[in-house]
Amino acid sequence: MSNTPARTILAFHQDAKLYELETTITSIIPFTALEEANQSLFKNAPPSSYVVITPTTIFHPQGGGQPSDEGTITKISESGSESTAFTVTAVRTSATQQVLHLGHFASGHTLFSPGDTVLQSVDVEKRLLYSRYHTAGHVLGAAVRHLLESEVSGFDELKASHFPDSAACEFKGLIEGKWKEPIQKRLDEYLAKAMPVEIDFWDEEDFRKNGLERLIPDRGMLPEGEKKFRVVKIVGAETYPCGGTHVERTDLCGETKVRKISRGKGVSRVSYSVV
């Protein structure tokens, strides 16, 4: 029998509008008792914090350019009442694909025990904000690619940040400042079209059939036992391998502004904000 901990099932991968989930406690670990590698996943975590692990989660761990969800985990008693609130302040994924919920208990409340039934609740306002930013970033990436792929030498899409205070998409190649207004115009068009945003799961052959071999992820990114990658399709624009949360249509991103274009070392960074 393997001693490797079971990976956490990501419920939000199937339904990003699932804001509450009943699950159970797998383990609860004082932050100071975590393995050093897992402690390093959290910056400036108070030593008095705890990490809670559950078999399934609706909390999005930080990754893919998206901040982690926040919220609460509340114990459900045998009578069905809720108590023992645990405030989740940060969420990360361990090397063994377990989701680590960092946080603290309400003053005077007792700890959870393995096997306890709990209710996970995400901060809906922050989830929606992060989803809007994430979708807007993909729409911006699609707008820039369709507009400049044949105009910029060596063009390619690189990484992106969808954090509200540092949202930007990076591209290989030098994008001159004159493109800022055309990019904004194309972005506005894509948002106004209310393009559906769909979640699907593709294997490598699906990428090839859709002419997107360039986007095939490293198979090492797949959890053990899985054969398909999660993709986000902005219908009418682009498809991206993505594990993040999104809104259902591009118009739901809200007003999205191209803030500036900066360039350096052969890379262009297009920053944006969502109102």
Side-chain angles (χ1 to χ4, degrees), residues 14-234:
Q14 301 290 341
D15 184 2
K17 294 176 67 178
L18 187 64
Y19 302 134
E20 290 190 336
L21 176 72
E22 188 173 304
T23 183
T24 57
I25 297 295
T26 299
S27 59
I28 172 170
I29 309 166
F31 181 75
T32 53
L34 276 181
E35 296 178 358
E36 185 176 346
N38 287 335
Q39 286 191 22
S40 68
L41 297 173
F42 300 96
K43 293 182 179 179
N44 304 316
S48 59
S49 300
Y50 286 84
V51 162
V52 169
I53 300 174
T54 56
T56 305
T57 188
I58 54 170
F59 284 85
H60 181 280
Q62 181 172 303
Q66 181 174 333
S68 76
D69 280 324
E70 298 177 26
T72 60
I73 301 177
T74 308
K75 181 177 178 179
I76 300 176
S77 68
E78 292 182 2
S79 64
S81 62
E82 300 174 13
S83 62
T84 319
F86 179 81
T87 299
V88 178
T89 57
V91 188
R92 302 290 187 270
T93 305
S94 73
T96 57
Q97 298 300 303
Q98 283 193 308
V99 173
L100 311 177
H101 307 85
L102 178 83
H104 56 84
F105 287 92
S107 177
H109 283 181
T110 57
L111 304 181
F112 298 146
S113 298
D116 282 349
T117 300
V118 294
L119 181 70
Q120 295 181 336
S121 303
V122 298
D123 183 321
V124 177
E125 184 176 349
K126 287 184 177 179
R127 163 66 69 82
L128 291 175
L129 177 64
Y130 298 157
S131 298
R132 289 169 59 214
Y133 261 93
H134 204 148
T135 302
H138 283 339
V139 177
L140 173 60
V144 173
R145 171 172 287 279
H146 290 183
L147 189 65
L148 299 180
E149 186 173 19
S150 61
E151 301 286 340
V152 173
S153 177
F155 178 90
D156 199 3
E157 290 183 71
L158 302 176
K159 61 183 180 180
S161 167
H162 309 297
F163 283 68
D165 60 351
S166 59
C169 297
E170 293 187 3
F171 304 89
K172 185 178 179 182
L174 298 180
I175 301 175
E176 297 179 25
K178 68 179 182 180
W179 289 108
K180 181 180 177 183
E181 288 189 14
I183 291 172
Q184 182 69 64
K185 181 180 179 181
R186 183 66 61 90
L187 174 61
D188 290 342
E189 290 172 356
Y190 285 177
L191 296 174
K193 285 182 178 179
M195 296 173 168
V197 180
E198 299 177 353
I199 304 299
D200 204 349
F201 292 85
W202 285 7
D203 58 21
E204 294 177 3
E205 185 57 30
D206 291 318
F207 283 93
R208 295 189 182 95
K209 286 190 295 188
N210 285 275
L212 295 173
E213 292 92 339
R214 61 183 171 81
L215 294 179
I216 296 176
D218 184 339
R219 287 198 63 79
M221 295 173 61
L222 277 177
E224 184 178 354
E226 292 194 7
K227 298 181 179 180
K228 294 191 175 186
F229 300 95
R230 185 176 186 263
V231 298
V232 173
K233 299 191 292 185
I234 302 173

Side-chain angles (χ1 to χ4, degrees), residues 164-167 180 184 257-261 270-274:
D165 60 351
S166 59
K180 181 180 177 183
Q184 182 69 64
K257 291 295 184 183
V258 177
R259 295 179 56 244
K260 65 178 180 178
I261 302 173
V270 181
S271 60
Y272 71 98
S273 60
V274 172

